[in-house]
Amino acid sequence: MFATRFAPSPTGFLHRGHAFSALTAFRAAQAAKGRFVLRIEDIDATRCRPEYESAIFEDLAWLGLEWEQPVRRQSEHLADYEAALEKLRGQGLLYRCFRTRKQVAEEMLAAPHGPVEAFRGGPLHPNEEERMLEEDRPFAWRLSLDAAAERVGGFGRLSFYDNGKKVRANPALAGDVVLARKDVGVAYHLAVVVDDALQGIDHVIRGEDLAEATHIQRLLQALLDLPTPTYRQHRLLTGPDGRRYAKRDKAETLRDLRAQGVTAEQLRAELGFD
Ligand code: GLU
């Protein structure tokens, strides 16, 4: 059965861009007589707040959306992500990374063939790693793209459907991506891939700002033996100034609009959903 989802992080109030994204996925589920899932992506406890989560429920209900219950909250399922990490670790696909953000940035700039866009630093020498562990230095777990390529027999075999077109996955875009952060023990790409599979999501409909993420997520699906959903990226909504809505710009939130007397019907119509 067709199943799609909207997966916001409760790090701020929803704005028009979120409404557009949520409605796009919701209407697609309705048209296919399928499932619509709302997932709360709250692994980053330092940035997520309960009041933003309640606002998500309130704003989406106001907008006319209905979703399956119970809602999955990532923070309540860390054991699922740990099991996936363990699986990857057991296959020798992960390495510990003790570097700071600054060190990572410096290494990328000073790469042997000139600055690189994606980090491929590899593990420390075993003696050095032992020393860091003895000193209790915090570390992240990164995916080794070299080891991953070997495991799947080269990335050339990996593809996915994106807006109806078959696309070859290019996981190198993401580099040796962090799958378990130093602070929270898991990272976005891993949690999303595990959840999409566990929740039976077969259509991922999300903004084109996440188009690049699909490439590394496709690789993770292969490494974890998980099914690959079909992907559909929607355009990003832009404001009157031509720039896309973003939480950091304090874009007008759905609550602001509501307080100004805008009705859900008006907003839906403005966004092209009648
Ligand atoms: N939680 C992500 C966000 O708020 C979306 C994840 C996804 O759709 O894959 O940007």
Side-chain angles (χ1 to χ4, degrees):
M1 190 199 232
F2 181 106
T4 191
R5 46 50 161 207
F6 178 57
S9 293
T11 55
F13 293 119
L14 300 184
H15 51 65
R16 277 189 174 87
H18 295 111
F20 181 75
S21 195
L23 277 164
T24 303
F26 178 68
R27 288 293 173 94
Q30 275 191 322
K33 298 206 184 341
R35 299 169 49 215
F36 176 70
V37 168
L38 171 63
R39 182 167 74 223
I40 300 292
E41 303 215 319
D42 62 347
I43 49 176
D44 189 341
T46 58
R47 296 177 56 226
C48 295
R49 303 241 175 89
E51 59 267 33
Y52 293 140
E53 185 191 286
S54 5
I56 288 173
F57 298 144
E58 208 178 291
D59 293 346
L60 295 181
W62 170 76
L63 207 53
L65 269 60
E66 286 168 38
W67 52 90
E68 285 186 3
Q69 299 290 341
V71 169
R72 185 175 169 93
R73 244 187 226 114
Q74 291 188 325
S75 60
E76 292 171 354
H77 298 278
L78 298 180
D80 290 335
Y81 313 129
E82 188 47 45
L85 284 168
E86 195 47 50
K87 187 165 173 178
L88 299 174
R89 229 183 262 128
Q91 299 174 71
L93 299 174
L94 305 186
Y95 64 86
R96 291 186 185 87
C97 181
F98 295 88
R99 299 164 176 91
T100 59
R101 267 171 205 270
K102 189 162 165 255
Q103 284 169 329
V104 169
E106 282 166 4
E107 279 186 45
M108 285 167 65
L109 269 178
H113 304 290
V116 289
E117 299 271 314
F119 180 76
R120 299 284 290 267
L124 290 174
H125 184 278
N127 294 344
E128 179 74 352
E129 177 163 314
E130 207 170 306
R131 193 178 61 78
M132 299 294 255
L133 285 173
E134 268 165 23
E135 288 176 11
D136 256 341
R137 299 284 192 97
F139 58 85
W141 286 98
R142 282 185 187 268
L143 178 70
S144 161
L145 274 193
D146 289 339
E150 210 177 302
R151 158 82 212 285
V152 299
F155 296 146
R157 291 178 39 244
L158 297 182
S159 59
F160 56 90
Y161 280 90
D162 187 2
N163 291 335
K165 279 200 312 254
K166 193 169 178 175
V167 177
R168 183 176 282 193
N170 181 12
L173 289 170
D176 286 356
V177 75
V178 170
L179 295 185
R181 287 165 39 169
K182 280 180 187 173
D183 52 352
V184 290
V186 54
Y188 161 68
H189 293 297
L190 184 90
V192 162
V193 161
V194 168
D195 285 352
D196 283 340
L198 276 173
Q199 299 190 288
I201 302 300
D202 60 4
H203 281 75
V204 172
I205 300 171
R206 58 187 177 191
E208 61 194 12
D209 52 332
L210 286 164
E212 222 177 78
T214 309
H215 294 264
I216 190 72
Q217 292 177 11
R218 175 65 189 90
L219 171 61
L220 293 177
Q221 287 149 7
L223 297 173
L224 292 165
D225 298 314
L226 300 174
T228 297
T230 293
Y231 290 85
R232 204 189 295 169
Q233 265 91 40
H234 60 72
R235 71 183 172 88
L236 297 178
L237 209 61
T238 47
D241 58 357
R243 293 178 56 222
R244 72 184 180 93
Y245 289 101
K247 280 180 195 156
R248 63 178 173 277
D249 301 334
K250 301 262 175 294
E252 252 174 32
T253 63
L254 301 187
R255 358 210 74 206
D256 281 342
L257 297 175
R258 200 151 77 231
Q260 290 160 24
V262 174
T263 65
E265 291 72 25
Q266 284 169 334
L267 181 61
R268 285 198 303 263
E270 182 205 310
L271 300 177
F273 301 88
D274 299 314

Short mmCIF file of all heavy atoms in Angstrom, two decimals, residues 5-11 18 21 39-42 74 188-189 192-193 196 204-207 209-210 213 217 231 247, ligand 1:
data_model
loop_
_atom_site.label_atom_id
_atom_site.label_comp_id
_atom_site.label_asym_id
_atom_site.label_seq_id
_atom_site.Cartn_x
_atom_site.Cartn_y
_atom_site.Cartn_z
N ARG A 5 5.25 10.08 4.12
CA ARG A 5 5.37 10.70 5.45
C ARG A 5 5.81 12.15 5.36
O ARG A 5 6.35 12.61 4.35
CB ARG A 5 6.35 9.90 6.33
CG ARG A 5 7.70 9.42 5.78
CD ARG A 5 8.53 10.39 5.11
NE ARG A 5 9.93 10.04 4.99
CZ ARG A 5 10.91 10.92 4.90
NH1 ARG A 5 10.64 12.22 4.90
NH2 ARG A 5 12.16 10.57 4.77
N PHE A 6 5.56 12.84 6.47
CA PHE A 6 6.11 14.19 6.67
C PHE A 6 6.90 14.06 7.96
O PHE A 6 6.40 13.53 8.95
CB PHE A 6 4.98 15.21 6.80
CG PHE A 6 5.45 16.61 7.07
CD1 PHE A 6 6.33 17.24 6.20
CD2 PHE A 6 5.01 17.31 8.19
CE1 PHE A 6 6.78 18.54 6.45
CE2 PHE A 6 5.45 18.61 8.44
CZ PHE A 6 6.34 19.22 7.57
N ALA A 7 8.15 14.51 7.94
CA ALA A 7 9.05 14.20 9.06
C ALA A 7 9.76 15.45 9.59
O ALA A 7 10.96 15.62 9.42
CB ALA A 7 10.07 13.16 8.61
N PRO A 8 9.02 16.34 10.23
CA PRO A 8 9.65 17.57 10.71
C PRO A 8 10.47 17.37 11.98
O PRO A 8 10.25 16.41 12.73
CB PRO A 8 8.45 18.47 11.02
CG PRO A 8 7.35 17.52 11.39
CD PRO A 8 7.59 16.29 10.57
N SER A 9 11.41 18.26 12.18
CA SER A 9 12.16 18.30 13.44
C SER A 9 11.57 19.42 14.28
O SER A 9 11.41 20.53 13.79
CB SER A 9 13.63 18.61 13.17
OG SER A 9 14.22 17.54 12.49
N PRO A 10 11.26 19.14 15.54
CA PRO A 10 10.65 20.18 16.39
C PRO A 10 11.68 21.18 16.91
O PRO A 10 11.92 21.29 18.10
CB PRO A 10 9.99 19.39 17.52
CG PRO A 10 10.75 18.11 17.59
CD PRO A 10 11.33 17.84 16.23
N THR A 11 12.30 21.91 15.98
CA THR A 11 13.32 22.89 16.36
C THR A 11 12.84 24.31 16.14
O THR A 11 13.62 25.25 16.19
CB THR A 11 14.62 22.66 15.55
OG1 THR A 11 14.28 22.68 14.16
CG2 THR A 11 15.25 21.32 15.88
N HIS A 18 6.87 24.44 5.25
CA HIS A 18 6.47 23.15 5.85
C HIS A 18 5.04 22.79 5.45
O HIS A 18 4.74 21.63 5.17
CB HIS A 18 6.53 23.21 7.38
CG HIS A 18 7.90 23.40 7.94
ND1 HIS A 18 8.29 24.55 8.56
CD2 HIS A 18 8.96 22.57 7.98
CE1 HIS A 18 9.54 24.42 8.96
NE2 HIS A 18 9.97 23.23 8.61
N SER A 21 5.03 21.38 2.04
CA SER A 21 5.62 20.04 2.01
C SER A 21 4.64 19.01 2.60
O SER A 21 4.42 17.94 2.01
CB SER A 21 6.91 20.07 2.82
OG SER A 21 7.68 18.95 2.56
N ARG A 39 6.12 11.89 11.36
CA ARG A 39 7.22 11.40 12.21
C ARG A 39 7.96 12.58 12.82
O ARG A 39 8.25 13.55 12.11
CB ARG A 39 8.18 10.56 11.36
CG ARG A 39 9.31 9.98 12.17
CD ARG A 39 10.04 8.92 11.38
NE ARG A 39 10.85 9.46 10.34
CZ ARG A 39 10.94 8.96 9.10
NH1 ARG A 39 10.22 7.92 8.74
NH2 ARG A 39 11.74 9.51 8.21
N ILE A 40 8.23 12.49 14.09
CA ILE A 40 8.92 13.58 14.77
C ILE A 40 10.42 13.25 14.84
O ILE A 40 10.82 12.30 15.51
CB ILE A 40 8.32 13.80 16.19
CG1 ILE A 40 6.83 14.15 16.10
CG2 ILE A 40 9.10 14.85 16.96
CD1 ILE A 40 6.51 15.51 15.48
N GLU A 41 11.22 14.05 14.15
CA GLU A 41 12.66 13.77 14.08
C GLU A 41 13.38 14.61 15.14
O GLU A 41 13.85 15.71 14.88
CB GLU A 41 13.16 14.05 12.67
CG GLU A 41 12.38 13.23 11.65
CD GLU A 41 13.17 12.75 10.47
OE1 GLU A 41 14.00 13.52 9.94
OE2 GLU A 41 12.95 11.59 10.05
N ASP A 42 13.42 14.02 16.33
CA ASP A 42 13.90 14.79 17.49
C ASP A 42 15.13 14.18 18.16
O ASP A 42 15.21 14.16 19.39
CB ASP A 42 12.75 14.91 18.51
CG ASP A 42 12.29 13.55 19.02
OD1 ASP A 42 12.68 12.54 18.42
OD2 ASP A 42 11.54 13.50 20.02
N GLN A 74 11.57 9.88 17.15
CA GLN A 74 12.88 9.22 17.04
C GLN A 74 13.59 9.06 18.39
O GLN A 74 14.25 8.07 18.62
CB GLN A 74 13.77 9.98 16.05
CG GLN A 74 13.26 9.86 14.63
CD GLN A 74 14.19 10.42 13.60
OE1 GLN A 74 14.87 11.41 13.86
NE2 GLN A 74 14.21 9.82 12.43
N TYR A 188 21.18 11.92 11.46
CA TYR A 188 20.02 12.04 10.59
C TYR A 188 19.88 10.92 9.55
O TYR A 188 18.85 10.24 9.50
CB TYR A 188 20.05 13.42 9.89
CG TYR A 188 19.20 13.50 8.66
CD1 TYR A 188 17.81 13.45 8.76
CD2 TYR A 188 19.76 13.58 7.40
CE1 TYR A 188 17.01 13.49 7.62
CE2 TYR A 188 18.98 13.62 6.26
CZ TYR A 188 17.61 13.57 6.37
OH TYR A 188 16.83 13.59 5.25
N HIS A 189 20.90 10.70 8.71
CA HIS A 189 20.74 9.74 7.60
C HIS A 189 20.40 8.34 8.10
O HIS A 189 19.57 7.65 7.52
CB HIS A 189 22.02 9.68 6.75
CG HIS A 189 22.30 10.94 6.00
ND1 HIS A 189 21.45 11.43 5.04
CD2 HIS A 189 23.33 11.82 6.09
CE1 HIS A 189 21.96 12.56 4.54
NE2 HIS A 189 23.09 12.81 5.17
N VAL A 192 16.73 8.19 9.55
CA VAL A 192 15.71 8.30 8.50
C VAL A 192 15.55 6.99 7.73
O VAL A 192 14.44 6.52 7.48
CB VAL A 192 16.07 9.43 7.53
CG1 VAL A 192 15.32 9.31 6.22
CG2 VAL A 192 15.77 10.78 8.16
N VAL A 193 16.68 6.38 7.40
CA VAL A 193 16.64 5.14 6.62
C VAL A 193 16.01 4.01 7.44
O VAL A 193 15.18 3.25 6.94
CB VAL A 193 18.10 4.81 6.18
CG1 VAL A 193 18.23 3.36 5.79
CG2 VAL A 193 18.50 5.72 5.04
N ASP A 196 12.15 4.90 7.81
CA ASP A 196 11.36 4.74 6.59
C ASP A 196 11.08 3.24 6.37
O ASP A 196 9.97 2.87 6.00
CB ASP A 196 12.09 5.35 5.38
CG ASP A 196 11.98 6.87 5.34
OD1 ASP A 196 11.07 7.42 5.99
OD2 ASP A 196 12.81 7.52 4.67
N VAL A 204 8.91 8.50 -0.60
CA VAL A 204 9.44 9.63 0.17
C VAL A 204 9.22 10.88 -0.65
O VAL A 204 9.74 11.00 -1.76
CB VAL A 204 10.94 9.44 0.51
CG1 VAL A 204 11.51 10.70 1.13
CG2 VAL A 204 11.12 8.25 1.45
N ILE A 205 8.40 11.76 -0.11
CA ILE A 205 8.08 13.01 -0.81
C ILE A 205 8.59 14.13 0.08
O ILE A 205 8.14 14.27 1.21
CB ILE A 205 6.55 13.13 -1.02
CG1 ILE A 205 6.07 11.94 -1.85
CG2 ILE A 205 6.20 14.46 -1.69
CD1 ILE A 205 4.55 11.82 -1.96
N ARG A 206 9.58 14.87 -0.40
CA ARG A 206 10.17 15.92 0.44
C ARG A 206 10.77 16.99 -0.44
O ARG A 206 10.86 16.84 -1.66
CB ARG A 206 11.23 15.30 1.37
CG ARG A 206 12.34 14.57 0.66
CD ARG A 206 13.26 13.85 1.65
NE ARG A 206 14.30 13.09 0.95
CZ ARG A 206 15.09 12.22 1.53
NH1 ARG A 206 14.99 11.96 2.82
NH2 ARG A 206 16.02 11.59 0.83
N GLY A 207 11.21 18.06 0.18
CA GLY A 207 11.71 19.21 -0.57
C GLY A 207 13.00 18.91 -1.31
O GLY A 207 13.79 18.04 -0.90
N ASP A 209 15.61 20.41 -1.31
CA ASP A 209 16.82 20.69 -0.52
C ASP A 209 17.41 19.38 0.00
O ASP A 209 18.57 19.35 0.40
CB ASP A 209 16.51 21.65 0.64
CG ASP A 209 15.34 21.20 1.50
OD1 ASP A 209 14.43 20.51 0.98
OD2 ASP A 209 15.33 21.52 2.70
N LEU A 210 16.61 18.31 0.02
CA LEU A 210 17.11 17.04 0.53
C LEU A 210 17.48 16.08 -0.61
O LEU A 210 17.75 14.90 -0.36
CB LEU A 210 16.08 16.40 1.46
CG LEU A 210 15.98 17.10 2.83
CD1 LEU A 210 14.71 16.71 3.57
CD2 LEU A 210 17.20 16.80 3.68
N ALA A 213 20.62 14.13 -0.16
CA ALA A 213 20.59 13.15 0.94
C ALA A 213 20.20 11.77 0.44
O ALA A 213 20.63 10.75 0.99
CB ALA A 213 19.60 13.61 2.01
N GLN A 217 21.51 7.90 1.48
CA GLN A 217 20.47 7.07 2.10
C GLN A 217 20.27 5.78 1.29
O GLN A 217 20.04 4.71 1.84
CB GLN A 217 19.18 7.87 2.28
CG GLN A 217 19.39 8.97 3.34
CD GLN A 217 18.20 9.89 3.56
OE1 GLN A 217 17.11 9.64 3.09
NE2 GLN A 217 18.44 10.97 4.29
N TYR A 231 11.37 8.04 -4.68
CA TYR A 231 11.55 9.40 -4.18
C TYR A 231 10.89 10.42 -5.10
O TYR A 231 10.85 10.24 -6.31
CB TYR A 231 13.05 9.73 -4.05
CG TYR A 231 13.69 8.95 -2.91
CD1 TYR A 231 14.16 7.66 -3.10
CD2 TYR A 231 13.75 9.50 -1.63
CE1 TYR A 231 14.71 6.93 -2.05
CE2 TYR A 231 14.29 8.77 -0.58
CZ TYR A 231 14.76 7.50 -0.80
OH TYR A 231 15.28 6.78 0.25
N LYS A 247 13.55 28.27 8.80
CA LYS A 247 13.33 28.58 10.22
C LYS A 247 14.25 29.69 10.69
O LYS A 247 13.87 30.56 11.44
CB LYS A 247 13.61 27.34 11.06
CG LYS A 247 12.47 26.35 11.08
CD LYS A 247 12.84 25.15 11.93
CE LYS A 247 11.88 24.01 11.67
NZ LYS A 247 12.42 22.70 11.98
N1 GLU B 1 13.64 16.02 9.49
C1 GLU B 1 14.07 16.52 8.23
C2 GLU B 1 13.83 18.02 8.18
O1 GLU B 1 13.09 18.54 9.00
C3 GLU B 1 13.35 15.90 7.06
C4 GLU B 1 13.79 14.51 6.82
C5 GLU B 1 13.29 13.88 5.55
O2 GLU B 1 12.25 14.26 5.01
O3 GLU B 1 13.93 12.94 5.13
O4 GLU B 1 14.40 18.67 7.34
#
